[in-house]
Amino acid sequence: KVPAALLRKAAAAKESGSFDMEIWGSGLQKRSFCYIDDAVEGVLKLLNSECHDPVNIGSEEVVTIDRLAAMAAEAVGLDPCQLRLKHMHSRPVGVASRNSDNSFVREQLGWEPKVCLQEGLKETGRWIEGEVRVLQRRVGEASFQNVLDELKRSTLVRLRSGKTVFALLLPVTSRTNTTSDTSS
């Protein structure tokens, strides 16, 4: 979610010529991000394996959110030195550091990510820039600046009160035996 949000903001900054970029928190939070194709490959390897233990499927490449913002700018063709990061300390930021240790998944599945963060950002950035151009054609030049201003901001999602909201997390490692039991 964060890489796509920062790429969206960088693409909008590039298009608008206004290089402010909103960052929630200090920007010093550390994260690792895995390109979607690599994550899908890892999950498929897990599903097709005999491994029944929980595993981390992710990248060991750790960056700060500020560095990720600079990388997002580079991915869409902006000079990161042009960015003016606006740190919003009143917004939720999560834990200080989150990253993956791939030693177990490497040993059990022979899997590790193939796409480095910068390359994944470039690929995703190209797609996001295309979507921004689609929006431009759809809304027209008169409204496009307002759209760009919206794209440069993130919104805190608040669930409506009075509603019951729940989620069910099903671990992908929970699999049944593929042999059928005909005795029951």
Side-chain angles (χ1 to χ4, degrees):
K1 185 166 112 172
V2 174
L6 292 179
L7 285 163
R8 182 194 74 230
K9 292 174 185 182
K14 177 183 171 184
E15 193 65 38
S16 71
S18 171
F19 303 116
D20 293 338
M21 185 182 284
E22 173 187 286
I23 303 289
W24 287 15
S26 68
L28 300 177
Q29 311 91 289
K30 293 180 181 178
R31 301 287 186 273
S32 62
F33 301 98
C34 186
Y35 190 62
I36 187 66
D37 291 352
D38 286 338
V40 168
E41 179 190 345
V43 170
L44 290 174
K45 279 190 168 229
L46 177 62
L47 290 172
N48 291 316
S49 77
E50 296 299 318
C51 180
H52 296 284
D53 296 319
V55 299
N56 285 324
I57 294 178
S59 171
E60 294 177 318
E61 184 180 355
V62 179
V63 295
T64 65
I65 299 300
D66 278 357
R67 176 66 187 129
L68 184 66
M71 293 172 80
E74 291 171 343
V76 300
L78 279 179
D79 178 353
C81 295
Q82 292 179 289
L83 288 180
R84 291 181 301 272
L85 300 181
K86 304 292 183 184
H87 294 98
M88 302 183 69
H89 297 281
S90 63
R91 297 296 189 164
V93 296
V95 298
S97 183
R98 183 180 307 135
N99 67 299
S100 182
D101 175 354
N102 288 355
S103 54
F104 184 77
V105 73
R106 194 177 302 117
E107 175 188 309
Q108 292 293 310
L109 305 178
W111 177 88
E112 58 188 326
K114 295 178 182 132
V115 180
C116 72
L117 180 57
Q118 188 65 45
E119 191 54 42
L121 289 170
K122 284 180 187 175
E123 185 68 27
T124 306
R126 282 191 286 272
W127 179 80
I128 287 175
E129 286 185 294
E131 293 299 304
V132 170
R133 286 189 290 279
V134 168
L135 274 173
Q136 183 179 20
R137 287 190 300 273
R138 188 179 305 150
V139 302
E141 285 301 319
S143 300
F144 189 52
Q145 189 59 48
N146 291 337
V147 169
L148 290 174
D149 290 343
E150 287 180 37
L151 292 175
K152 289 171 61 178
R153 290 190 302 271
S154 291
T155 305
L156 182 61
V157 176
R158 297 194 187 275
L159 300 175
R160 291 185 222 142
S161 61
K163 302 278 183 182
T164 302
V165 179
F166 69 94
L168 179 62
L169 177 62
L170 299 173
V172 294
T173 56
S174 295
R175 293 173 279 173
T176 59
N177 189 337
T178 57
T179 59
S180 60
D181 183 1
T182 57
S183 62
S184 53

